[in-house]
Amino acid sequence: MSDTLTPEIPQIPLAGVIGWPVAHSRSPLLHGHWLKRYGIKGHYVPLAIRPEHLAEALRVLPKAGFVGVNVTIPHKEAVLALADVVTDRAALIGAANTLIFRPDGKIHADNTDGYGFIANLRQNAPDWHPERATAAVIGAGGAARAVVASLLDAGVPELRIANRTRLRAEQIRNEFGARVVVYDWGQVGNMLEGVGTAVNATSLGMDGKAALRVPLDALPATALATDLVYTPLDTPFLIEARERGCRTVDGLGMLLHQAAPGFERWFGHKPEVDEELRAAVLA
Ligand code: NAP
């Protein structure tokens, strides 16, 4: 029988998350919730890929019916060199968390962490106006780079940053431009003076890690404080900021929102980030 007589088999789209290890990822829970909720015939699976197998995996996955993947540690930087098209924001951040396997065979790499960060704040603090006051970012790791890019994009007039390893903060200033001002790690307390937005982008405060201990005396009560850490939801930084009268937004919403653009591209439905999704991911 010739191929032309073979009926077209409808493809069930597959997506997933690649990492090493990957078992800790909440992405399968999150996307699984959306697939079920919208009645979409598709699957989202965790894929444990060793670093030495990354290039091969990206060649094979599209041929196996995958329409794209999320990318987690340790592959976020390495995928940039393997992608055919890299968005400006992923290139600037130096990492990608969302890959789209296009029908023409090209791999498109994007970074949606910054989008997720801003969308979370806009949803949970609708009267937040980033363009009206200075922002302060504590930490200069991979996630901080996405936060810095998104805050600058949202129009903050000045962005202060401090990191234990000062060099990483200086690299961010060199790459992101003159609105970025570097503070010493010992000066974080002073850095918070007069800011409208304060972000913990370090991993301090995570379950099993030391708390972020910085004097918050200078943090204005009018500021919005947010944390990228979401285990626990209420971090020592957020608790202390709230005691000072600040509005606080936890980091789980960033995780939920960063997933939405990928889901829409892969499965053709714009998903909602709401209480039902939060509950499903926390369960
Ligand atoms: P990363 O690249 O490893 O950076 C870690 C950051 O924490 C660096 O700034 C590091 O400073 C700082 N740090 C770690 N231990 C420290 C200590 N003992 N004292 C002072 N600073 C310390 O990690 P990442 O990818 O940026 O992630 C940072 C946090 O954000 C993690 O908790 C991660 O789970 C969370 N995150 C959340 C989301 C979300 O959707 N909510 C998304 C991405 C990441 P040095 O440079 O000096 O090491």
Side-chain angles (χ1 to χ4, degrees), residues 139-144 163-165 168 185 201-204 206 209 228-230 251 254-255:
N163 193 49
R164 177 181 61 177
T165 310
R168 287 179 100 182
W185 184 240
T202 72
S203 46
L204 291 173
M206 253 173 105
K209 280 219 163 205
L228 266 49
V229 170
Y230 55 85
M254 174 177 170
L255 177 81

Side-chain angles (χ1 to χ4, degrees), residues 2-13:
S2 94
D3 266 345
T4 50
L5 295 178
T6 311
E8 185 88 353
I9 300 166
Q11 283 275 330
I12 293 181

Side-chain angles (χ1 to χ4, degrees), residues 15-19 22 25 27-28 44-49 66 68-72:
V17 51
I18 56 170
V22 79
S25 173
S27 294
Y44 186 102
V45 291
L47 296 157
I49 310 282
F66 279 79
V69 287
N70 284 125
V71 186
T72 188

Side-chain angles (χ1 to χ4, degrees), residues 33-65:
H33 173 84
W34 279 332
L35 286 169
K36 200 167 153 201
R37 176 165 172 183
Y38 301 119
I40 294 170
K41 281 200 174 68
H43 300 284
Y44 186 102
V45 291
L47 296 157
I49 310 282
R50 289 177 183 276
E52 61 270 29
H53 294 156
L54 179 64
E56 197 186 340
L58 294 186
R59 265 196 308 275
V60 170
L61 286 171
K63 295 176 190 145

Side-chain angles (χ1 to χ4, degrees), residues 207-262:
D207 286 333
K209 280 219 163 205
L212 171 69
R213 291 275 171 234
V214 290
L216 297 190
D217 311 316
L219 181 66
T222 48
L224 172 76
T226 185
D227 206 316
L228 266 49
V229 170
Y230 55 85
T231 51
L233 283 178
D234 226 3
T235 62
F237 174 66
L238 293 184
I239 292 168
E240 227 180 294
R242 209 162 42 241
E243 279 166 5
R244 293 194 53 74
C246 296
R247 283 170 304 160
T248 61
V249 177
D250 68 54
L252 182 62
M254 174 177 170
L255 177 81
L256 307 181
H257 280 284
Q258 62 77 33

